[in-house]
Amino acid sequence: MSKNKRRVAGTLTLMTMLALWAALLPGGAAQAGVAGTAVAHARAEAEVGCTSFSNMFQRSPAYYLHIPTVGWDSGDVDCVLARGMNNVGVLALQESLNRCYGQGLATDGQFGANTERAVRNAQNIINSQYNAGIAVDGRYGPQTAFWFHHQIYDHNNGGYHTGACSRWGW
């Protein structure tokens, strides 16, 4: 388990225990609501933003995907892209949204309303194709990333797009 996942699990476990404890206090419903808000806040604080992308090899050393990650070529995919972010991780996401989900976005590295809408569209497509049950929230996080198809690049052809898409690890 990654350091971030352990930190999230520990924080959420503590917050869940606080929520249960608060529910047992007089006025438990109101107290549980406060603790529930604390759980949501702990989740948001525990999330790490994707700041770049990594070249993740697929099927052979010649083919790879650009997967949003924490840091350049770190391989740490346990991160989130959401509205307001601006970096090359968003750019990699936009390229895959265009190629694999037909979204027609400007590839500018800015996660704005159009990119958020495109991620929602991709989440709906993923849910309908795979019955994935992921939240349709317009955020690219670990749940969406698991099912998400990325554009395939060809190392032997100068790193150009192949026109194909794949899930990482498949």
Side-chain angles (χ1 to χ4, degrees):
M1 182 180 287
S2 75
K3 180 179 166 185
N4 287 338
K5 287 183 183 176
R6 282 193 301 269
R7 186 177 64 207
V8 170
T11 301
L12 291 178
T13 300
L14 175 63
M15 298 311 293
T16 302
M17 289 180 356
L18 286 172
L20 291 171
W21 176 74
L24 297 174
L25 294 174
Q31 295 294 335
V34 170
T37 302
V39 170
H41 181 68
R43 177 179 169 257
E45 280 186 356
E47 290 179 340
V48 176
C50 303
T51 57
S52 193
F53 67 89
S54 292
N55 295 313
M56 307 295 249
F57 290 98
Q58 185 74 8
R59 298 190 188 125
S60 80
Y63 299 105
Y64 59 94
L65 311 173
H66 287 168
I67 308 288
T69 55
V70 179
W72 166 250
D73 256 352
S74 69
D76 185 355
V77 298
D78 191 15
C79 58
V80 175
L81 289 172
R83 190 190 282 226
M85 298 179 85
N86 179 16
N87 59 49
V88 293
V90 175
L91 177 68
L93 175 68
Q94 290 170 330
E95 289 180 343
S96 289
L97 284 164
N98 287 344
R99 174 67 67 184
C100 306
Y101 296 96
Q103 294 303 301
L105 294 168
T107 51
D108 57 7
Q110 306 227 5
F111 200 119
N114 291 335
T115 301
E116 183 176 76
R117 186 173 23 264
V119 172
R120 278 193 180 106
N121 291 341
Q123 290 167 329
N124 278 318
I125 291 167
I126 290 166
N127 281 337
S128 68
Q129 288 181 345
Y130 300 104
N131 196 26
I134 60 175
V136 179
D137 58 6
R139 294 164 38 96
Y140 176 91
Q143 190 181 43
T144 298
F146 178 80
W147 294 98
F148 196 83
H149 283 74
H150 297 274
Q151 157 167 244
I152 301 173
Y153 297 84
D154 183 357
H155 180 73
N156 291 334
N157 191 21
Y160 289 103
H161 309 151
T162 64
C165 298
S166 179
R167 281 176 58 194
W168 180 51
W170 293 88

